[in-house]
């Protein structure tokens, strides 16, 4: 069993324990008016920009203002902007097609994204060997794919899947599809939980997993909560906290967005049961959104109004690595 799978299983167990024990800390964190253990009292949760829409312009036109600064080399951060180009390794890589909501496989060898036609595609890191996994039905918008890779020691055997958001203008739902050409997406049912209150099956969006061993976090637009789901067993899950746009590290650390005094801040919650939430951007006077966390849980990247920033996951001074505004992702 790989070290990453072992870590993810341990993280899943801790998250499940935190959800199912109904601890006072977790219940308090779900109340936006309660004591969250943060440095500032949060106001209502925010979805942030493009919460249910793919990132970037719909016509593949050039990215917003910026593009002169590119310090992505050595950071493992990539930035997709809804154009043909993706920033990575200090370069601008032309994928030959519109790339929105780029996400990397756990080994960093494959990209998943929403193309210019709104379909789900995968490719190699340079944009070659593109494969259309599934085509979005007319009138339905797909966004924010994330990878789930199972090893041969998992209960249902080895397999590679993609989870993503589907918006048919009536409801937001999470779908799952095997990462092969022409596969048929199925609804990801998150409501069959052991929690006392049934989990919502609609309004769900922004799924994120570090890739392996089944643990996934996602947000619900209707109630403003961040949820956890054990994809393997499908019987464990529940509310983690109030917020939106969550991302998950291998060790179970979660980063997410919450509004504080009228601005979107980046928060983190460690995987240990009873860990307090920490506002990583307590002095923010602008909106910081769309956070991602490195596989080892040591660094985060997020979007600001004037580009992409990185900082240690334990807090520190944000460092702007590019003035191109887009969606950040970590590549192994």
């Amino acid at each position: 069993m790989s070290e990453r799978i072992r870590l993810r299983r341990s993280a899943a167990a801790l998250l499940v324990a935190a959800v199912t024990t109904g601890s006072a800390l977790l219940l308090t964190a779900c109340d936006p008016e309660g004591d969250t253990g943060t440095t500032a009292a949060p106001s209502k949760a925010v979805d942030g920009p493009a919460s249910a829409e793919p990132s970037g312009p719909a016509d593949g036109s050039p990215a917003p203002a910026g593009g002169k600064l590119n310090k992505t080399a050595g950071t493992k951060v990539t930035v997709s902007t809804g154009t043909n180009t993706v920033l990575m390794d200090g370069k601008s890589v032309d994928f030959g097609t519109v790339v929105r909501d780029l996400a990397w496989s756990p080994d960093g060898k494959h990209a998943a994204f929403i193309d210019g036609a709104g379909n789900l595609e995968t490719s190699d890191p340079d944009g070659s060997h593109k494969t259309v996994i599934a085509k979005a039905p007319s009138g339905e918008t797909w966004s924010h794919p994330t990878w789930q890779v199972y090893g041969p020691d998992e209960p249902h055997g080895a397999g590679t899947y993609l989870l993503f958001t589907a918006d048919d203008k009536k409801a937001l739902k999470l779908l799952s599809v095997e990462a092969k050409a022409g596969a048929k997406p199925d609804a990801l049912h998150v409501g069959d939980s052991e929690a006392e209150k049934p989990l919502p099956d609609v309004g769900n969006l922004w799924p994120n997993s570090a890739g392996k061993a089944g643990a996934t976090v996602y947000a619900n637009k209707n109630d403003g909560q961040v949820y956890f789901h054990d994809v393997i067993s499908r019987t464990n899950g529940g509310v983690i906290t109030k917020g939106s746009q969550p991302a998950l590290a291998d060790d179970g650390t979660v980063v997410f967005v919450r509004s504080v005094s009228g601005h979107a801040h980046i928060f983190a919650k460690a995987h240990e049961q009873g860990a307090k939430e920490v506002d990583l951007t307590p002095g923010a006077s602008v909106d910081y959104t769309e956070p991602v966390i490195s596989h080892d849980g040591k660094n985060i990247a997020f979007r600001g109004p004037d580009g992409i920033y990185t900082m240690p996951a334990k807090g520190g001074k944000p460092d702007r690595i590019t003035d191109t505004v887009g969606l950040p992702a970590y590549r192994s």
Side-chain angles (χ1 to χ4, degrees), residues 45-61:
V46 294
D47 288 320
S51 60
E53 295 289 335
S55 60
D59 58 359
S61 57

Side-chain angles (χ1 to χ4, degrees), residues 150-272:
Y150 305 115
D153 56 341
E154 301 295 352
H156 46 48
T160 301
Y161 293 81
L162 292 163
L163 311 181
F164 58 96
T165 304
D167 181 5
D168 63 1
K169 311 308 177 187
K170 296 179 181 178
L172 289 166
K173 293 184 178 181
L174 300 183
L175 301 184
S176 174
V177 64
E178 191 171 2
K180 64 180 183 180
K184 181 181 179 181
D186 293 315
L188 180 68
H189 297 290
V190 298
D192 49 354
S193 170
E194 294 177 351
E196 293 182 6
K197 183 179 179 180
L199 304 183
D201 262 330
V202 296
N204 297 322
L205 72 167
W206 211 279
N208 182 272
S209 69
K212 294 186 177 180
T216 298
V217 291
Y218 62 95
N220 186 276
K221 187 174 183 179
N222 297 333
D223 64 12
Q225 306 274 23
V226 171
Y227 288 84
F228 163 76
H229 182 61
D230 183 346
V231 179
I232 293 177
S233 70
R234 297 179 59 191
T235 59
N236 291 307
V239 174
I240 297 176
T241 189
K242 198 79 174 177
S244 63
Q245 300 180 348
L248 184 66
D250 284 357
D251 67 358
T253 298
V254 180
V255 292
F256 56 94
V257 174
R258 183 186 288 160
S259 179
V260 178
S261 301
H263 291 292
H265 286 216
I266 306 299
F267 282 75
K269 181 177 174 63
H271 64 278
E272 292 89 355

Side-chain angles (χ1 to χ4, degrees), residues 18-207:
V19 170
T20 57
T21 56
S23 66
L25 175 67
L26 186 59
L27 292 174
T28 302
C30 298
D31 180 3
E33 301 301 325
D35 178 11
T36 62
T38 62
T39 57
S43 58
K44 68 177 182 178
V46 294
D47 288 320
S51 60
E53 295 289 335
S55 60
D59 58 359
S61 57
K68 295 181 179 180
L69 177 67
N70 186 353
K71 298 193 300 180
T72 57
T75 66
K76 297 185 178 180
V77 175
T78 67
V79 183
S80 57
T81 62
T83 68
N84 287 17
T85 57
V86 176
L87 301 187
M88 65 174 80
D89 300 325
K91 304 175 183 178
S92 182
V93 179
D94 188 348
F95 270 54
T97 187
V98 170
V99 176
R100 301 190 183 102
D101 299 352
L102 176 65
W104 295 98
S105 60
D107 60 9
K109 295 181 179 180
H110 300 283
F113 55 91
I114 305 300
D115 65 18
N119 301 322
L120 180 63
E121 281 199 42
T122 60
S123 76
D124 288 351
D126 61 357
S128 63
H129 299 101
K130 296 181 187 66
T131 301
V132 176
I133 302 301
K135 294 184 177 181
S138 177
E140 188 166 292
T141 301
W142 289 358
S143 62
H144 301 104
T146 191
W147 293 81
Q148 280 287 338
V149 179
Y150 305 115
D153 56 341
E154 301 295 352
H156 46 48
T160 301
Y161 293 81
L162 292 163
L163 311 181
F164 58 96
T165 304
D167 181 5
D168 63 1
K169 311 308 177 187
K170 296 179 181 178
L172 289 166
K173 293 184 178 181
L174 300 183
L175 301 184
S176 174
V177 64
E178 191 171 2
K180 64 180 183 180
K184 181 181 179 181
D186 293 315
L188 180 68
H189 297 290
V190 298
D192 49 354
S193 170
E194 294 177 351
E196 293 182 6
K197 183 179 179 180
L199 304 183
D201 262 330
V202 296
N204 297 322
L205 72 167
W206 211 279

